[in-house]
Short mmCIF file of all heavy atoms in Angstrom, two decimals:
data_model
loop_
_atom_site.label_atom_id
_atom_site.label_comp_id
_atom_site.label_asym_id
_atom_site.label_seq_id
_atom_site.Cartn_x
_atom_site.Cartn_y
_atom_site.Cartn_z
N GLY A 126 35.19 39.68 -22.51
CA GLY A 126 34.65 40.98 -22.75
C GLY A 126 33.17 41.04 -22.61
O GLY A 126 32.49 40.02 -22.55
N PRO A 127 32.60 42.27 -22.53
CA PRO A 127 31.15 42.41 -22.30
C PRO A 127 30.32 41.69 -23.33
O PRO A 127 29.35 41.00 -22.99
CB PRO A 127 30.94 43.92 -22.36
CG PRO A 127 32.31 44.51 -22.04
CD PRO A 127 33.31 43.57 -22.60
N SER A 128 30.64 41.84 -24.66
CA SER A 128 29.81 41.17 -25.66
C SER A 128 29.97 39.66 -25.57
O SER A 128 28.97 38.89 -25.74
CB SER A 128 30.20 41.69 -27.03
OG SER A 128 31.54 41.38 -27.33
N ASP A 129 31.22 39.19 -25.33
CA ASP A 129 31.42 37.77 -25.22
C ASP A 129 30.70 37.21 -24.02
O ASP A 129 30.09 36.12 -24.09
CB ASP A 129 32.90 37.46 -25.10
CG ASP A 129 33.67 37.69 -26.37
OD1 ASP A 129 33.01 37.66 -27.42
OD2 ASP A 129 34.89 37.98 -26.32
N ARG A 130 30.74 37.94 -22.92
CA ARG A 130 30.07 37.50 -21.71
C ARG A 130 28.58 37.42 -21.92
O ARG A 130 27.92 36.53 -21.46
CB ARG A 130 30.44 38.41 -20.56
CG ARG A 130 31.84 38.22 -20.00
CD ARG A 130 32.02 38.78 -18.60
NE ARG A 130 31.71 40.21 -18.58
CZ ARG A 130 32.68 41.12 -18.69
NH1 ARG A 130 33.94 40.78 -18.92
NH2 ARG A 130 32.37 42.44 -18.66
N GLU A 131 28.04 38.42 -22.68
CA GLU A 131 26.63 38.41 -22.93
C GLU A 131 26.21 37.19 -23.72
O GLU A 131 25.22 36.51 -23.43
CB GLU A 131 26.21 39.68 -23.66
CG GLU A 131 24.71 39.80 -23.87
CD GLU A 131 24.34 41.09 -24.56
OE1 GLU A 131 25.25 41.96 -24.67
OE2 GLU A 131 23.18 41.23 -24.99
N ASN A 132 27.00 36.88 -24.80
CA ASN A 132 26.69 35.69 -25.58
C ASN A 132 26.84 34.40 -24.77
O ASN A 132 25.98 33.48 -24.88
CB ASN A 132 27.61 35.59 -26.80
CG ASN A 132 27.34 36.69 -27.80
OD1 ASN A 132 26.24 37.15 -27.93
ND2 ASN A 132 28.38 37.14 -28.53
N ASP A 133 27.91 34.37 -23.94
CA ASP A 133 28.09 33.17 -23.14
C ASP A 133 27.05 33.00 -22.06
O ASP A 133 26.70 31.92 -21.66
CB ASP A 133 29.48 33.19 -22.49
CG ASP A 133 30.55 32.76 -23.48
OD1 ASP A 133 30.17 32.16 -24.49
OD2 ASP A 133 31.76 32.97 -23.22
N ASN A 134 26.55 34.18 -21.55
CA ASN A 134 25.48 34.10 -20.56
C ASN A 134 24.26 33.39 -21.15
O ASN A 134 23.63 32.60 -20.49
CB ASN A 134 25.11 35.51 -20.06
CG ASN A 134 26.05 36.03 -19.04
OD1 ASN A 134 26.75 35.19 -18.33
ND2 ASN A 134 26.12 37.33 -18.85
N ARG A 135 23.88 33.78 -22.38
CA ARG A 135 22.75 33.14 -23.04
C ARG A 135 23.01 31.67 -23.26
O ARG A 135 22.21 30.81 -23.08
CB ARG A 135 22.47 33.85 -24.35
CG ARG A 135 21.83 35.22 -24.19
CD ARG A 135 21.21 35.65 -25.53
NE ARG A 135 22.23 35.86 -26.54
CZ ARG A 135 22.78 37.05 -26.76
NH1 ARG A 135 22.46 38.10 -26.02
NH2 ARG A 135 23.68 37.20 -27.69
N LYS A 136 24.27 31.34 -23.66
CA LYS A 136 24.60 29.93 -23.90
C LYS A 136 24.56 29.14 -22.58
O LYS A 136 24.05 28.03 -22.54
CB LYS A 136 26.00 29.83 -24.54
CG LYS A 136 26.38 28.42 -24.85
CD LYS A 136 27.79 28.39 -25.51
CE LYS A 136 28.24 26.98 -25.79
NZ LYS A 136 29.59 26.93 -26.34
N THR A 137 25.11 29.73 -21.53
CA THR A 137 25.13 29.05 -20.25
C THR A 137 23.73 28.81 -19.73
O THR A 137 23.38 27.75 -19.21
CB THR A 137 25.91 29.81 -19.25
OG1 THR A 137 27.23 30.02 -19.70
CG2 THR A 137 25.96 29.10 -17.91
N ALA A 138 22.84 29.78 -19.91
CA ALA A 138 21.47 29.65 -19.50
C ALA A 138 20.79 28.51 -20.26
O ALA A 138 20.07 27.75 -19.64
CB ALA A 138 20.70 30.95 -19.70
N SER A 139 21.10 28.42 -21.53
CA SER A 139 20.52 27.33 -22.35
C SER A 139 21.04 25.99 -21.87
O SER A 139 20.28 25.01 -21.68
CB SER A 139 20.81 27.53 -23.81
OG SER A 139 20.35 26.45 -24.57
N GLU A 140 22.36 25.92 -21.68
CA GLU A 140 22.97 24.69 -21.19
C GLU A 140 22.40 24.30 -19.81
O GLU A 140 22.12 23.17 -19.50
CB GLU A 140 24.47 24.77 -21.14
CG GLU A 140 25.10 24.91 -22.52
CD GLU A 140 26.62 25.15 -22.37
OE1 GLU A 140 27.05 25.53 -21.30
OE2 GLU A 140 27.31 24.95 -23.40
N TYR A 141 22.28 25.35 -18.98
CA TYR A 141 21.79 25.12 -17.64
C TYR A 141 20.42 24.51 -17.65
O TYR A 141 20.12 23.51 -17.00
CB TYR A 141 21.77 26.47 -16.91
CG TYR A 141 20.94 26.53 -15.64
CD1 TYR A 141 21.43 26.06 -14.43
CD2 TYR A 141 19.62 27.02 -15.67
CE1 TYR A 141 20.70 26.07 -13.30
CE2 TYR A 141 18.85 27.06 -14.56
CZ TYR A 141 19.37 26.58 -13.34
OH TYR A 141 18.61 26.57 -12.22
N PHE A 142 19.52 25.08 -18.43
CA PHE A 142 18.16 24.57 -18.48
C PHE A 142 18.10 23.16 -19.06
O PHE A 142 17.35 22.31 -18.61
CB PHE A 142 17.23 25.51 -19.21
CG PHE A 142 15.82 25.00 -19.23
CD1 PHE A 142 15.05 24.97 -18.07
CD2 PHE A 142 15.23 24.52 -20.40
CE1 PHE A 142 13.76 24.51 -18.11
CE2 PHE A 142 13.91 24.08 -20.42
CZ PHE A 142 13.22 24.02 -19.25
N ASP A 143 18.89 22.93 -20.14
CA ASP A 143 18.89 21.65 -20.74
C ASP A 143 19.25 20.53 -19.74
O ASP A 143 18.71 19.45 -19.72
CB ASP A 143 19.82 21.56 -21.93
CG ASP A 143 19.28 22.32 -23.13
OD1 ASP A 143 18.07 22.56 -23.15
OD2 ASP A 143 20.05 22.64 -24.05
N LEU A 144 20.24 20.85 -18.90
CA LEU A 144 20.65 19.84 -17.90
C LEU A 144 19.68 19.74 -16.73
O LEU A 144 19.32 18.67 -16.36
CB LEU A 144 22.04 20.25 -17.37
CG LEU A 144 23.22 19.98 -18.32
CD1 LEU A 144 24.50 20.61 -17.75
CD2 LEU A 144 23.45 18.51 -18.53
N VAL A 145 19.31 20.89 -16.22
CA VAL A 145 18.45 20.85 -15.03
C VAL A 145 17.07 20.37 -15.34
O VAL A 145 16.42 19.69 -14.57
CB VAL A 145 18.38 22.25 -14.37
CG1 VAL A 145 17.41 22.28 -13.22
CG2 VAL A 145 19.75 22.70 -13.94
N ALA A 146 16.58 20.69 -16.54
CA ALA A 146 15.19 20.28 -16.93
C ALA A 146 15.04 18.78 -16.93
O ALA A 146 13.95 18.30 -16.77
CB ALA A 146 14.84 20.86 -18.32
N LEU A 147 16.13 18.08 -17.15
CA LEU A 147 16.06 16.63 -17.12
C LEU A 147 15.70 16.11 -15.70
O LEU A 147 15.07 15.06 -15.55
CB LEU A 147 17.42 15.98 -17.51
CG LEU A 147 17.84 16.27 -18.94
CD1 LEU A 147 19.24 15.70 -19.17
CD2 LEU A 147 16.87 15.61 -19.95
N HIS A 148 16.08 16.88 -14.69
CA HIS A 148 15.79 16.52 -13.32
C HIS A 148 14.62 17.19 -12.65
O HIS A 148 14.09 16.70 -11.63
CB HIS A 148 17.05 16.76 -12.47
CG HIS A 148 18.28 16.06 -12.94
ND1 HIS A 148 18.36 14.69 -13.02
CD2 HIS A 148 19.47 16.53 -13.37
CE1 HIS A 148 19.53 14.34 -13.49
NE2 HIS A 148 20.23 15.43 -13.71
N LEU A 149 14.19 18.30 -13.20
CA LEU A 149 13.10 19.07 -12.59
C LEU A 149 11.83 18.25 -12.38
O LEU A 149 11.17 18.38 -11.37
CB LEU A 149 12.85 20.37 -13.35
CG LEU A 149 13.93 21.47 -13.18
CD1 LEU A 149 13.52 22.69 -14.02
CD2 LEU A 149 14.16 21.81 -11.73
N PRO A 150 11.38 17.49 -13.40
CA PRO A 150 10.16 16.70 -13.18
C PRO A 150 10.31 15.73 -12.02
O PRO A 150 9.35 15.46 -11.25
CB PRO A 150 9.96 15.97 -14.50
CG PRO A 150 10.60 16.88 -15.53
CD PRO A 150 11.79 17.40 -14.83
N ILE A 151 11.53 15.15 -11.87
CA ILE A 151 11.79 14.23 -10.75
C ILE A 151 11.71 14.99 -9.42
O ILE A 151 11.08 14.49 -8.46
CB ILE A 151 13.12 13.53 -10.90
CG1 ILE A 151 13.16 12.69 -12.19
CG2 ILE A 151 13.45 12.67 -9.70
CD1 ILE A 151 14.53 12.07 -12.48
N ILE A 152 12.28 16.16 -9.42
CA ILE A 152 12.26 16.99 -8.19
C ILE A 152 10.82 17.37 -7.88
O ILE A 152 10.42 17.40 -6.70
CB ILE A 152 13.14 18.24 -8.42
CG1 ILE A 152 14.60 17.76 -8.55
CG2 ILE A 152 12.99 19.19 -7.23
CD1 ILE A 152 15.56 18.88 -8.88
N LEU A 153 10.02 17.65 -8.91
CA LEU A 153 8.63 17.98 -8.68
C LEU A 153 7.90 16.83 -8.05
O LEU A 153 7.13 17.00 -7.11
CB LEU A 153 7.94 18.32 -10.04
CG LEU A 153 6.44 18.61 -9.99
CD1 LEU A 153 6.12 19.86 -9.18
CD2 LEU A 153 5.85 18.69 -11.41
N ARG A 154 8.15 15.60 -8.54
CA ARG A 154 7.52 14.44 -7.96
C ARG A 154 7.95 14.26 -6.47
O ARG A 154 7.11 13.96 -5.64
CB ARG A 154 7.89 13.17 -8.75
CG ARG A 154 7.53 11.91 -8.03
CD ARG A 154 7.74 10.65 -8.89
NE ARG A 154 9.09 10.49 -9.37
CZ ARG A 154 10.07 9.94 -8.64
NH1 ARG A 154 9.85 9.57 -7.39
NH2 ARG A 154 11.27 9.80 -9.16
N LEU A 155 9.22 14.48 -6.20
CA LEU A 155 9.71 14.30 -4.83
C LEU A 155 9.12 15.35 -3.87
O LEU A 155 9.07 15.14 -2.67
CB LEU A 155 11.22 14.38 -4.77
CG LEU A 155 11.92 13.19 -5.45
CD1 LEU A 155 13.45 13.42 -5.48
CD2 LEU A 155 11.59 11.86 -4.73
N CYS A 156 8.64 16.50 -4.44
CA CYS A 156 7.97 17.50 -3.59
C CYS A 156 6.70 16.96 -2.97
O CYS A 156 6.26 17.39 -1.94
CB CYS A 156 7.61 18.73 -4.44
SG CYS A 156 9.01 19.71 -4.92
N PHE A 157 6.08 16.02 -3.70
CA PHE A 157 4.77 15.48 -3.24
C PHE A 157 4.86 14.03 -2.78
O PHE A 157 4.20 13.63 -1.78
CB PHE A 157 3.78 15.53 -4.41
CG PHE A 157 3.34 16.91 -4.82
CD1 PHE A 157 4.04 17.58 -5.79
CD2 PHE A 157 2.26 17.50 -4.20
CE1 PHE A 157 3.63 18.89 -6.16
CE2 PHE A 157 1.89 18.80 -4.54
CZ PHE A 157 2.57 19.46 -5.54
N ALA A 158 5.60 13.21 -3.45
CA ALA A 158 5.55 11.77 -3.24
C ALA A 158 6.85 11.21 -2.78
O ALA A 158 7.52 10.38 -3.41
CB ALA A 158 5.14 11.03 -4.52
N CYS A 159 7.30 11.72 -1.65
CA CYS A 159 8.50 11.19 -0.98
C CYS A 159 8.19 11.02 0.50
O CYS A 159 7.64 11.97 1.13
CB CYS A 159 9.69 12.12 -1.19
SG CYS A 159 11.19 11.53 -0.32
N PRO A 160 8.53 9.90 1.11
CA PRO A 160 8.16 9.71 2.53
C PRO A 160 9.06 10.41 3.48
O PRO A 160 8.87 10.40 4.69
CB PRO A 160 8.32 8.21 2.72
CG PRO A 160 9.28 7.75 1.66
CD PRO A 160 9.11 8.68 0.51
N PHE A 161 10.13 11.13 2.94
CA PHE A 161 11.01 11.84 3.80
C PHE A 161 10.76 13.36 3.71
O PHE A 161 10.91 13.97 2.68
CB PHE A 161 12.48 11.57 3.34
CG PHE A 161 12.79 10.10 3.23
CD1 PHE A 161 13.26 9.59 2.05
CD2 PHE A 161 12.59 9.26 4.31
CE1 PHE A 161 13.53 8.22 1.91
CE2 PHE A 161 12.85 7.94 4.21
CZ PHE A 161 13.33 7.38 3.03
N GLY A 162 10.32 13.94 4.84
CA GLY A 162 9.94 15.31 4.85
C GLY A 162 11.04 16.29 4.44
O GLY A 162 10.78 17.27 3.77
N ARG A 163 12.29 15.96 4.88
CA ARG A 163 13.36 16.93 4.53
C ARG A 163 13.65 16.91 3.06
O ARG A 163 14.01 17.93 2.48
CB ARG A 163 14.62 16.47 5.31
CG ARG A 163 14.49 16.55 6.84
CD ARG A 163 14.19 17.99 7.28
NE ARG A 163 15.32 18.86 7.00
CZ ARG A 163 15.26 20.18 7.28
NH1 ARG A 163 14.20 20.71 7.79
NH2 ARG A 163 16.31 20.94 7.02
N VAL A 164 13.53 15.75 2.40
CA VAL A 164 13.73 15.74 0.94
C VAL A 164 12.65 16.55 0.24
O VAL A 164 12.95 17.31 -0.68
CB VAL A 164 13.70 14.27 0.43
CG1 VAL A 164 13.77 14.24 -1.09
CG2 VAL A 164 14.88 13.48 1.02
N ARG A 165 11.40 16.43 0.70
CA ARG A 165 10.34 17.23 0.10
C ARG A 165 10.65 18.70 0.22
O ARG A 165 10.48 19.51 -0.72
CB ARG A 165 8.99 16.91 0.75
CG ARG A 165 8.50 15.53 0.53
CD ARG A 165 6.98 15.43 0.83
NE ARG A 165 6.69 15.80 2.19
CZ ARG A 165 6.60 14.99 3.21
NH1 ARG A 165 6.90 13.69 3.03
NH2 ARG A 165 6.27 15.41 4.42
N GLU A 166 11.11 19.09 1.43
CA GLU A 166 11.41 20.53 1.64
C GLU A 166 12.56 21.04 0.78
O GLU A 166 12.44 22.09 0.18
CB GLU A 166 11.76 20.69 3.16
CG GLU A 166 12.08 22.12 3.52
CD GLU A 166 12.53 22.20 4.97
OE1 GLU A 166 12.16 21.33 5.77
OE2 GLU A 166 13.25 23.21 5.31
N LYS A 167 13.56 20.20 0.64
CA LYS A 167 14.73 20.66 -0.20
C LYS A 167 14.31 20.75 -1.64
O LYS A 167 14.75 21.66 -2.38
CB LYS A 167 15.88 19.65 -0.05
CG LYS A 167 16.52 19.69 1.36
CD LYS A 167 17.58 18.59 1.47
CE LYS A 167 18.21 18.63 2.87
NZ LYS A 167 19.22 17.55 3.06
N CYS A 168 13.55 19.82 -2.12
CA CYS A 168 13.14 19.87 -3.55
C CYS A 168 12.26 21.07 -3.83
O CYS A 168 12.38 21.68 -4.90
CB CYS A 168 12.38 18.58 -3.88
SG CYS A 168 13.44 17.12 -3.94
#
Side-chain angles (χ1 to χ4, degrees):
S128 60
D129 291 334
R130 286 198 299 268
E131 184 178 348
N132 291 332
D133 280 345
N134 278 339
R135 286 197 294 269
K136 181 179 179 182
T137 302
S139 176
E140 293 174 345
Y141 164 82
F142 180 68
D143 286 344
L144 286 171
V145 176
L147 296 175
H148 301 300
L149 287 181
I151 297 174
I152 294 173
L153 175 68
R154 168 172 59 81
L155 292 174
C156 289
F157 290 92
C159 177
F161 309 123
R163 297 299 295 177
V164 173
R165 294 197 303 270
E166 179 183 337
K167 290 176 181 179
C168 289

